[in-house]
Amino acid sequence: MIQDVIVVGAGPAGAACALWAHQLGLRVLLLEAASAAGGLQRRSPYRNRWLPGLQNRTGQAVAESLQDHLKDAGVPHHLNFTAAGIRRSAWHDGWDVWNERAVHSARYLVIATGSRPRDGGFHESDHVGIGPGLSMERLDVAGKRLAILGGGDNAFDQAGFAIQRGAREVHIFCRRAPRAQPLLMRQVEPRFVHVGPFHADARSMTVNGVPFDVLGVQFGFEACIPAGLSLPLRDGYLDVDRNGAVARWPRLFAAGEVTNYWHPCVTTSYAHGVQVAKSIQRELQLARPTVWAPCPAPLASAA
């Protein structure tokens, strides 16, 4: 069966896109490589301060709600489906997504594969965390000297969490002036913020030759772009127009943090997924014009 829309990725953007497409009456299939929906929210044990109406719920709780909503709404979706390839179909005017188990086809394809923390060549270990959330929370920082590499919001946020968990000292190393929000920067004393070139070595657990017990790599995120397609990029992310369409690729859209849209976060990912669903619905409506039957003439009244 050829779907109207296949959405690849069930994070906030992909889940919102699939939910809206389904409830707008389109035939949709949502494919997710992980064992549950939620994307990066599944890595976040922190209580939310930013999503309106969801105060104090953890990112993991938000992810569980996404999964429950998809199920309750009856959105067709497959978990544990890692796409081995994506291609323009050779036998219909649309797209195929496949792996070793199945091939799924649709007229439209939405890439919502999100982003992942940049590792900068480091590897997770008992003393090295990469990206915010569970990777850092699993580390024992109590009474330890911690070096955070990076100068953005997540670097200072993770420093604050480590201080709350009893870290003895938390130093931040950033090559350029910090670009974090002032609210987050106030969590770290200025004397522990080092701006300029640095060299970090995970084998010797040193930064600029100074020993540390724990390293936290907070170099931001990079797009998770499916292999096999030479897609247009802007600053490393899929380049889309205001509707979410990928230039020069008919019926291909992208939504959320895999794209170059402004200010990636959960809230904007939801909205972007909705916009893409509405854009596809509009294109399908234009391709399938509604035929209105003429109203029957009123019956003449009996004399």
Side-chain angles (χ1 to χ4, degrees):
M1 177 181 180
I2 299 177
Q3 310 291 334
D4 289 322
V5 188
I6 287 176
V7 181
V8 180
C17 184
L19 176 67
W20 271 65
H22 175 72
Q23 296 186 154
L24 288 169
L26 306 185
R27 297 188 305 271
V28 62
L29 178 62
L30 176 62
L31 303 175
E32 168 56 46
S35 59
L40 285 176
Q41 287 295 289
R42 298 180 66 214
R43 296 170 53 101
S44 174
Y46 308 121
R47 296 191 178 278
N48 163 60
R49 295 184 295 159
W50 303 101
L51 299 182
L54 295 176
Q55 66 273 24
N56 294 324
R57 299 192 67 188
T58 66
Q60 291 167 320
V62 171
E64 290 176 6
S65 295
L66 280 177
Q67 181 67 58
D68 291 343
H69 200 162
L70 293 170
K71 182 178 179 181
D72 291 346
V75 178
H77 60 285
H78 294 326
L79 304 175
N80 297 305
F81 187 98
T82 301
I86 295 172
R87 66 190 172 201
R88 291 295 304 274
S89 179
W91 59 280
H92 70 91
D93 190 15
W95 293 87
D96 296 331
V97 181
W98 80 93
N99 67 10
E100 67 280 0
R101 301 196 311 269
V103 178
H104 299 289
S105 302
R107 299 182 66 190
Y108 285 82
L109 175 68
V110 179
I111 298 175
T113 44
S115 61
R116 58 177 168 252
R118 296 180 187 274
D119 59 32
F122 292 88
H123 302 280
E124 287 188 338
S125 71
D126 292 340
H127 306 288
V128 178
I130 298 174
L134 293 180
S135 183
M136 290 295 297
E137 291 297 312
R138 65 182 177 78
L139 300 176
D140 178 16
V141 299
K144 306 289 181 63
R145 299 184 74 243
L146 169 63
I148 299 283
L149 312 180
D153 284 350
N154 284 319
F156 283 86
D157 213 16
Q158 294 302 306
F161 288 130
I163 292 169
Q164 293 173 17
R165 292 167 56 207
R168 178 160 56 94
E169 284 185 11
V170 179
H171 294 250
I172 288 185
F173 292 85
C174 46
R175 294 186 175 90
R176 293 176 294 277
R179 57 195 181 280
Q181 302 173 49
L183 175 68
L184 300 176
M185 291 178 62
R186 285 197 291 269
Q187 300 178 108
V188 183
E189 294 183 41
R191 65 193 178 101
F192 291 133
V193 178
H194 312 279
V195 179
F198 64 83
H199 174 71
D201 188 339
R203 289 173 296 180
S204 62
M205 291 299 293
T206 60
V207 182
N208 291 344
V210 178
F212 288 90
D213 302 306
V214 180
L215 298 180
V217 180
Q218 304 296 327
F219 289 156
F221 295 86
E222 61 186 2
C224 299
I225 300 175
L229 296 174
S230 298
L231 300 175
L233 303 179
R234 181 182 296 178
D235 298 327
Y237 293 81
L238 290 183
D239 189 13
V240 297
D241 66 17
R242 64 186 301 271
N243 296 316
V246 179
R248 302 186 300 279
W249 290 87
R251 300 183 179 182
L252 178 63
F253 285 72
E257 295 190 12
V258 73
T259 74
N260 64 320
Y261 78 107
W262 183 78
H263 187 63
C265 70
V266 176
T267 306
T268 53
S269 291
Y270 282 141
H272 204 210
V274 172
Q275 286 179 295
V276 167
K278 288 291 292 181
S279 296
I280 293 173
Q281 181 208 28
R282 184 169 58 248
E283 286 196 14
L284 284 169
Q285 284 179 330
L286 293 173
R288 303 170 179 167
T290 302
V291 178
W292 297 99
C295 294
L299 297 176
S301 58

